[in-house]
Amino acid sequence: MSRKYLGEQIDIHAGGEDLIFPHHENEIAQSEAANGKEFARYWMHNAFLNIDNRKMSKSLGNFRTVREISEQYDLQVLRFFMLSAHYRSPLNFSAELMEASKNGLERILNATDNLKHLIASVAAEEMSAEEKEAFSKTDAYVEEFEKAMDDDFNTADAIAAIFELVKYANTTATAESSKEYLRGLLDRIVKLGDVLGLILDKKEELLDADIEKLIEERQAARKAKDFARADVIRDELLEKGIILKDTREGVQWKKA
């Protein structure tokens, strides 16, 4: 099956550390004997998940499903929690650690929200010479992040690099900063989070009633020949994933 769908050699083979022997060793023996090639270039064996310092198992009655956890926590918090330890290290699930992960993720989200708020309120557009020098210092945090990910997907150290970047952003971004500098900081934090599957730049969802209200406001602006305001509303809706289409029958909209 592996050869049929993935070829004679695969790049990455993952699984629990309890499968190393005999399952994965058996796979290697069979596949390499049949194909005459190295079966997998990289092996990623994850350690066990413990519940309150005890191995999770149905027999112990401490088994938790992702669906059950999602009823208590946002799944982004669960992802952040699982990224907080190296995948080869045992991971202990507990309410205290989940709360710590929730607080850690909120710390990053608060930083991105603050940057977006500043971007919307500051006047200066382009970076000053001092800001360009300040922004160049963020290269070090990106390098630390990449170094951690190159080190056998060390997500714990990668998150630490994001926290350092967040700390730097919180201390250097002010109401006197330029939009370009603030956007640069926001873009770097969001992109690093994206590598880890963390959604750090959520678009605020609009209710249908809110969309219709904005469309009515846009129509009123066009009727008053305030085309600049009409364009601003269209751009605002587009940014939130709402596409407008002007027809002879009126304005139609759909979500992108």
Side-chain angles (χ1 to χ4, degrees):
M1 183 176 70
S2 173
R3 181 166 62 181
K4 178 180 178 180
Y5 292 105
L6 302 174
E8 295 181 343
Q9 185 181 56
I10 60 179
D11 288 328
I12 300 174
H13 195 308
E17 61 181 8
D18 56 328
L19 299 178
I20 296 175
F21 176 83
H23 302 288
H24 290 167
E25 291 187 3
N26 194 22
E27 277 190 89
I28 293 171
Q30 291 182 9
S31 299
E32 295 189 359
N35 301 323
K37 295 182 178 179
E38 181 183 29
F39 176 47
R41 299 180 62 229
Y42 299 99
W43 289 86
M44 299 176 65
H45 292 104
N46 60 279
F48 295 127
L49 174 64
N50 298 323
I51 305 292
D52 294 323
N53 293 310
R54 301 177 69 191
K55 180 182 176 182
M56 183 174 71
S57 68
K58 290 184 178 180
S59 61
L60 293 175
N62 64 348
F63 188 83
R64 300 285 299 277
T65 66
V66 172
R67 189 184 301 264
E68 291 170 345
I69 295 172
S70 70
E71 294 173 357
Q72 295 178 276
Y73 298 97
D74 188 297
L75 290 179
Q76 282 283 298
V77 174
L78 178 61
R79 176 182 287 273
F80 191 84
F81 161 73
M82 298 187 73
L83 293 168
S84 64
H86 193 281
Y87 75 91
R88 293 189 192 272
S89 302
L91 189 59
N92 184 55
F93 181 94
S94 68
E96 292 77 13
L97 291 175
M98 284 296 287
E99 285 298 324
S101 296
K102 180 181 177 182
N103 293 335
L105 181 58
E106 285 182 350
R107 178 182 166 195
I108 300 174
L109 289 171
N110 287 339
T112 58
D113 285 345
N114 180 57
L115 287 169
K116 285 186 279 188
H117 173 74
L118 288 172
I119 290 169
S121 60
V122 299
E125 289 289 340
E126 297 182 357
M127 283 194 217
S128 64
E130 292 78 9
E131 284 181 320
K132 289 180 179 179
E133 182 179 353
F135 186 73
S136 68
K137 294 180 181 179
T138 64
D139 292 342
Y141 305 121
V142 176
E143 290 172 6
E144 284 300 311
F145 179 91
E146 293 175 345
K147 180 181 177 182
M149 292 300 288
D150 285 342
D151 182 20
D152 193 19
F153 294 100
N154 191 338
T155 54
D157 284 357
I159 287 178
I162 293 179
F163 276 135
E164 288 299 317
L165 177 56
V166 164
K167 180 180 178 181
Y168 186 79
N170 287 339
T171 55
T172 62
T174 69
E176 285 71 45
S177 300
S178 67
K179 291 183 185 293
E180 184 182 10
Y181 179 69
L182 297 170
R183 286 197 186 101
L185 291 174
L186 177 62
D187 185 59
R188 289 217 144 163
I189 295 173
V190 170
K191 282 187 175 180
L192 295 187
D194 186 58
V195 173
L196 299 176
L198 297 173
I199 302 172
L200 303 178
D201 189 20
K202 289 185 178 180
K203 303 297 183 184
E204 183 181 350
E205 293 188 4
L206 291 174
L207 298 176
D208 288 359
D210 295 327
I211 296 171
E212 295 291 349
K213 184 177 179 180
L214 284 170
I215 290 176
E216 289 177 9
E217 185 181 339
R218 176 174 175 268
Q219 291 296 87
R222 294 180 68 189
K223 189 174 182 180
K225 298 188 183 302
D226 187 356
F227 299 112
R229 175 58 184 160
D231 289 342
V232 168
I233 295 173
R234 173 186 281 273
D235 292 342
E236 180 183 338
L237 288 168
L238 184 60
E239 185 180 346
K240 297 182 185 300
I242 305 301
I243 300 173
L244 301 183
K245 182 179 180 181
D246 294 311
T247 70
R248 294 175 62 182
E249 292 75 28
V251 180
Q252 299 176 355
W253 64 270
K254 66 177 182 178
K255 293 184 179 180

